[in-house]
Amino acid sequence: MRRSRLALYGLAHFWVDLSCAALLLGTLSGEGDFQRQLLVYNFCAFALQMPLGVLADWWGRPAALGAAGCVLTAAAYLVPLPLRAVTAGVGNALFHLGGGVEALSSERAGDLGVFVSPGALGIFLGTLWGKGAAPGLRVLPLGLLVLAFALVWRAGDALSAPPEAEEAAPARWEALVPLFLVVVLRSYMGMNQAFPWKADWAPALAAALVLGKAAGGFAMDALGPRKASAASLGLAAALYPASALPLPGVLAVFLFNMTMPVTLWAAARALPGQKGFAFGLLTFALFMGFLPSFLGWPGLPGGGAGYAAVSVASLALLWLPLGKEAVRC
């Protein structure tokens, strides 16, 4: 992907996630049914990407999907309250699919990391903005409309040219099972990590998420998927037992999240010609990892030792689908 287009998608990802988080916390958190709204939003934003991914693959116009997602997210600020969670969630899903398909079309996993990482920063800042009930929320939809126009303008070729035909290759569905489970574990871990210093170090944790997702793609390009995953998850497992202290904990979170672009890249290679569905399948896994905490199920036992065990389990699950044959292009 061209650097200018990648930068535009990264900025749009930041702005979409910022807008969704600010909307949820700024306009819906005071509603009596906020928990139901949160569930609806997460279902539309993450679980719905799987069937919408089929549409993305069939249509072959990722820029249009990304722009439509920006417009729908902007519209969520204008529709009646009962429809805001649905509108924002569907907008979020469409944008992520458009940008995800474009990023997955690059041979460099680093491009994928650059695309996915700004979203974590957007969520962090949008949550702060929404909780503060800042009066400037109306500027967010305007920014989304500008970005929608920019996506269409900068990627106009994706609106008029049919997608390039990919070489027919058999799908490797068996590789998707461990990749799906790894993403479920990552999502569940993110919902359940509890550090005694978390409130005081919240900006550092947000930076660890952002930089970890970005660094994971570049590490994969440099080392290959297996070596990059072994290094990141192995070091995370070594650091998590000391995560009662801020520095080891922040570093462990950074390392643990480096596998995000790796799993997306491997899923797309396991399903040739179905990048949208592959992307959506793993966002559905994110939704599945969110549900246990939402339903109030017990969290991870053992503190840092439990987090280390999840890191080791994730590496064990990844080892086979990241083999040379499994990730062939």
Side-chain angles (χ1 to χ4, degrees):
M1 187 190 296
R2 292 180 181 175
R3 290 291 177 249
S4 59
R5 187 182 300 184
L6 179 62
L8 176 58
Y9 269 109
L11 174 61
H13 191 180
F14 166 78
W15 206 256
V16 167
D17 281 7
L18 170 70
S19 301
C20 288
L23 178 75
L24 287 171
L25 276 299
T27 69
L28 295 177
S29 60
E31 298 298 302
D33 61 347
F34 175 65
Q35 289 300 310
R36 182 173 64 86
Q37 296 274 18
L38 182 63
L39 178 63
V40 168
Y41 169 79
N42 278 287
F43 176 82
C44 293
F46 299 106
L48 203 58
Q49 284 192 53
M50 185 168 62
L52 288 176
V54 179
L55 170 65
D57 292 328
W58 170 78
W59 198 22
R61 289 167 173 79
L65 280 180
C70 290
V71 171
L72 267 182
T73 304
Y77 279 82
L78 306 175
V79 299
L81 279 173
L83 298 177
R84 287 186 180 178
V86 173
T87 308
V90 174
N92 188 292
L94 289 176
F95 169 77
H96 280 79
L97 281 170
V101 168
E102 287 235 41
L104 285 169
S105 298
S106 172
E107 290 302 314
R108 297 184 298 268
D111 287 357
L112 185 59
V114 170
F115 167 68
V116 299
S117 59
L121 181 60
I123 291 172
F124 174 71
L125 295 179
T127 299
L128 294 179
W129 196 343
K131 285 181 177 179
L137 289 178
R138 67 185 63 185
V139 74
L140 295 174
L142 178 61
L144 288 166
L145 294 177
V146 171
L147 287 167
F149 174 80
L151 285 173
V152 174
W153 177 65
R154 292 292 298 170
D157 53 329
L159 295 174
S160 57
E164 294 184 7
E166 297 191 32
E167 292 184 13
R172 300 193 72 258
W173 296 99
E174 72 282 2
L176 294 173
V177 175
L179 292 172
F180 185 91
L181 292 176
V182 166
V183 177
V184 171
L185 283 174
R186 187 193 306 132
S187 176
Y188 181 68
M189 181 93 129
M191 296 294 297
N192 284 276
Q193 285 181 133
F195 304 115
W197 42 265
K198 188 172 182 178
D200 296 331
W201 286 68
L205 276 176
L209 287 170
V210 174
L211 297 176
K213 293 173 182 179
F218 292 111
M220 202 204 84
D221 288 336
L223 302 174
R226 269 189 171 179
K227 288 182 179 179
S229 297
S232 62
L233 290 173
L235 288 172
L239 287 168
Y240 267 127
S243 60
L245 299 173
L247 185 56
V250 169
L251 288 174
V253 170
F254 167 84
L255 291 160
F256 184 77
N257 281 276
M258 285 178 66
T259 58
M260 184 176 186
V262 177
T263 50
L264 287 168
W265 184 89
R269 268 58 187 178
L271 290 177
Q274 301 180 69
K275 294 181 176 67
F277 179 72
F279 194 93
L281 181 68
L282 295 195
T283 61
F284 180 73
L286 289 175
F287 178 74
M288 296 300 293
F290 152 82
L291 278 180
S293 297
F294 178 83
L295 296 173
W297 292 6
L300 284 167
Y307 307 152
V310 171
S311 300
V312 173
S314 298
L315 179 57
L317 286 167
L318 279 175
W319 199 251
L320 182 60
L322 293 185
K324 291 182 180 179
E325 183 182 353
V327 296
R328 66 183 185 277
C329 297

